[in-house]
Amino acid sequence: MGGGGVGNGVGRRRSPGCGKDRKMAALGSPSGTLRGLLRELRYLSAATGRPYRDTAAYRYLVKSFRAHRVTSEKLCRAQHELHFQASTYLCLLRSIREHVALHQEFHGMGERSVEESAGLVGLKLPSQPGGKGWEP
């Protein structure tokens, strides 16, 4: 009847986060999310040396995605909730992995000595004269 309903998109405004330059994160396909989660499991298993297919996380993910897939006979409303949670968890795993990599690359090795700090900027410390009152 009316032309200004919510479902037809007339008169709707975009939120500040949506636009050509700034896009909000999209979920993508469930199979892409599953592949991403399995990729993160492979990264973790490379660190432990254990095959990722032998982990409980792998079995749980595959079982959950198989149980919530849409077939021609039923429409699974829980699939959308599972997909959202899985993509959130994937984002968390990626962020942690990238954080650890950045931390290892840029983390300081402790405090430098005065001589080492002067050498970094191209200066030399004056040599101390030997003699009375000075330790060699």
Side-chain angles (χ1 to χ4, degrees), residues 7 12 18 31 38 45-47 67 83 89 93 97 99 112 119 130 133 136:
R12 291 172 52 187
C18 296
S31 61
L38 295 179
S45 70
H83 186 204
Y89 190 61
L93 289 175
R97 180 176 46 85
H99 168 74
R112 292 187 170 102

Side-chain angles (χ1 to χ4, degrees), residues 20-87:
K20 202 172 205 181
D21 298 332
R22 293 175 286 173
K23 292 184 179 179
M24 294 182 74
L27 286 179
S29 69
S31 61
T33 303
L34 177 62
R35 281 193 305 270
L37 284 168
L38 295 179
R39 185 178 313 116
E40 293 299 322
L41 282 179
R42 280 193 297 273
Y43 288 138
L44 290 174
S45 70
T48 60
R50 186 175 163 193
Y52 75 99
R53 290 181 185 249
D54 293 342
T55 61
Y58 173 80
R59 289 189 297 271
Y60 175 77
L61 284 171
V62 172
K63 180 181 170 187
S64 296
F65 270 86
R66 283 183 181 156
H68 290 90
R69 67 179 167 208
V70 176
T71 64
S72 60
E73 298 174 6
K74 67 175 184 174
L75 174 63
C76 183
R77 294 183 189 271
Q79 180 191 23
H80 300 294
E81 181 181 344
L82 174 76
H83 186 204
F84 179 76
Q85 288 177 351
S87 64

